[in-house]
Amino acid sequence: TLEPFSKLFTLAVKWQKSEKKWTDGSFLELVAETVETEVNEYNKDILKVVKVFAARFKKGRVKEVGRPRKSEISTDKDIKEDETPAIKVCNAIQKQILDFKVHIPLITTLCNPGIRDRHWKLMSQSVGFDLTPDSGTTLRKVLRFNLQPHMEEFESISLGASKEFALERSLQRMVEDWGAINFNTTTYRDSGIVILAAIDDIQTLLDDQIVKTQIMKGSPFIKAFEKDIKEWEERLTRVQDIIDEWLKVQAQWLYLEPIFSSEDIMQQMPEEGRLFQTVDRTWKDVMRNALKDSKVLVATSMPNLLERLTDCNRLLEKINKGLNHYLEKKRLYFPRFFFLSNDEILEILSETKDPTRVQPHLKKCFEGISELEFTSALNISAMYSAQGEKVDFAEKISTAETKGAVEKWLLRVQNIMFLSVRNVLDKALEAYTDEERAIWVTEWP
């Protein structure tokens, strides 16, 4: 059949085209791995074709002379001495392939994608003339330079270039990884203000890249990218610092915003209220900027962002000190406030216009009082126990007279509580001798 001849013809044409492209095409476009793979494939294919024609040749010899004796069987040496034209073509192609394979180490060394101008300068210094390839450089021209004596030095330079290229690609990948990383945000209550949500993935990537960058800095092949890797490390460190400060500001802002949104607190703490308004403006501006482009590297590149957030945290420290001092004064004036947490006291103090807001916290301040009785004018007229027993106050307490100072009217509650209980006890003792015991027990708390 003609199939083996067709395969040989196709293979010969393809090989000649490939060899022409590699030898006379642009040297800068040669990819060593691809060339080596294709050359090996051509070599395997030609060996298969050679086996087919050798088998046909042996078969034809047997038919011509009949069944030969052992001594007459054709050997490979006999076949080589009496080659058919097809086998001669196969051998010629195979020789061309083997001759070309000799140049693969040179292609691998000089067509390294990691080689840069600085490496060509080193190799040019070694050979004594400019070896830097241009658009007109071909493999044929390079082979004429007879570079074999310098190959050991070239291989060393190429190896270093590969190491540098690996570091360069690693740095590029780190930068590219951030392209798809955005800050997650969520709306705070019904305010329309956005805040940062989960940043676990961002923190993981930051930690991982900071460690990688520090390892890369210690590589002996980093010198060419020393400036780039240093700038990248500084960028990552700054992003880390910004996120740390950002989350601190957010945590404090979330805690203080409900407090300073109260007019009562603003009136009682004007200095801290003014500082919080400064922080509030900065915080909202930062979040608006993050909302425009939530990519981490973009959002954190806002001018002076780290400094602004650091200033916010400094102001927040002052605000918290002032707030703690304010609460301490309230506790010292009305010691039973020590039984309440800061948040509970602030809840009471933030609603001074509504004295009834103190009701949920009474049990912690007064063990025996479950509830106070308020008149329509918000005067306190009596107290109730958890069992529902009522004790009328000896005198009514006006919450309005204290002008919002909750601790003052609570202190009056404490004093009137003692007086009222004493009055009830006195009256109960007087009635004890006049009433039957069974009736007396139920009438008096």
Side-chain angles (χ1 to χ4, degrees), residues 52-62 74-75 78-80 82-84 87:
V52 170
F53 281 111
R56 286 169 65 94
F57 180 75
K58 287 181 181 179
K59 190 175 180 181
R61 289 284 295 272
V62 168
S74 299
T75 64
D78 296 329
I79 293 171
K80 202 154 191 175
D82 192 16
E83 290 176 333
T84 65
I87 292 178

Side-chain angles (χ1 to χ4, degrees), residues 249-262:
V249 173
Q250 177 168 292
Q252 288 298 311
W253 184 86
L254 291 173
Y255 171 65
L256 295 172
E257 193 274 338
I259 297 171
F260 286 98
S261 60
S262 164

Side-chain angles (χ1 to χ4, degrees), residues 393-436:
F393 278 171
E395 58 183 81
K396 288 184 179 180
I397 300 171
S398 173
T399 58
E401 287 180 2
T402 59
K403 297 179 180 179
V406 181
E407 70 280 6
K408 289 183 179 180
W409 64 256
L410 279 174
L411 189 61
R412 289 204 64 199
V413 167
Q414 176 182 288
N415 296 333
I416 297 298
M417 174 188 69
F418 292 139
L419 180 60
S420 300
V421 171
R422 189 179 296 113
N423 288 344
V424 170
L425 287 173
D426 289 341
K427 289 178 182 179
L429 286 174
E430 289 177 8
Y432 183 73
T433 56
D434 300 329
E435 299 177 0
E436 293 184 12

Side-chain angles (χ1 to χ4, degrees), residues 190-339:
D190 298 324
S191 63
I193 299 170
V194 296
I195 59 174
L196 294 184
I199 63 160
D200 294 345
D201 292 343
I202 296 172
Q203 191 59 62
T204 300
L205 183 60
L206 258 180
D207 293 341
D208 181 53
Q209 289 204 3
I210 287 173
V211 171
K212 278 184 180 177
T213 304
Q214 290 172 344
I215 293 173
M216 287 169 65
K217 275 181 67 179
S219 170
F221 300 98
I222 199 61
K223 188 173 181 180
F225 313 103
E226 196 167 9
K227 182 183 176 184
D228 294 337
I229 200 72
K230 188 176 180 181
E231 288 176 354
W232 180 244
E233 184 185 29
E234 289 173 356
R235 180 77 185 277
L236 291 176
T237 304
R238 186 173 179 83
V239 170
Q240 179 68 76
D241 292 342
I242 286 172
I243 289 176
D244 289 344
E245 294 295 322
W246 200 332
L247 292 178
K248 285 180 188 176
V249 173
Q250 177 168 292
Q252 288 298 311
W253 184 86
L254 291 173
Y255 171 65
L256 295 172
E257 193 274 338
I259 297 171
F260 286 98
S261 60
S262 164
E263 291 182 10
D264 294 331
I265 294 292
M266 291 293 284
Q267 289 174 1
Q268 296 172 64
M269 303 179 65
E271 177 61 21
E272 287 76 11
R274 184 183 62 78
L275 293 177
F276 182 77
Q277 287 177 339
T278 302
V279 172
D280 187 61
R281 284 192 297 271
T282 301
W283 166 254
K284 289 177 180 176
D285 183 45
V286 168
M287 291 311 303
R288 277 194 296 270
N289 180 72
L291 201 58
K292 288 178 185 176
D293 193 334
S294 60
K295 286 186 174 60
V296 173
L297 292 188
V298 176
T300 54
S301 61
M302 181 181 180
N304 301 317
L305 179 57
L306 179 59
E307 291 73 20
R308 294 179 72 187
L309 291 172
T310 303
D311 286 342
C312 283
N313 277 315
R314 181 177 52 79
L315 293 177
L316 287 166
E317 282 183 19
K318 285 186 179 181
I319 293 169
N320 276 312
K321 281 183 181 178
L323 184 61
N324 289 330
H325 180 65
Y326 169 73
L327 294 177
E328 187 68 16
K329 282 171 61 179
K330 298 293 183 183
R331 285 188 170 109
L332 291 174
Y333 190 90
F334 181 62
R336 288 175 185 263
F337 270 160
F338 280 105
F339 298 135

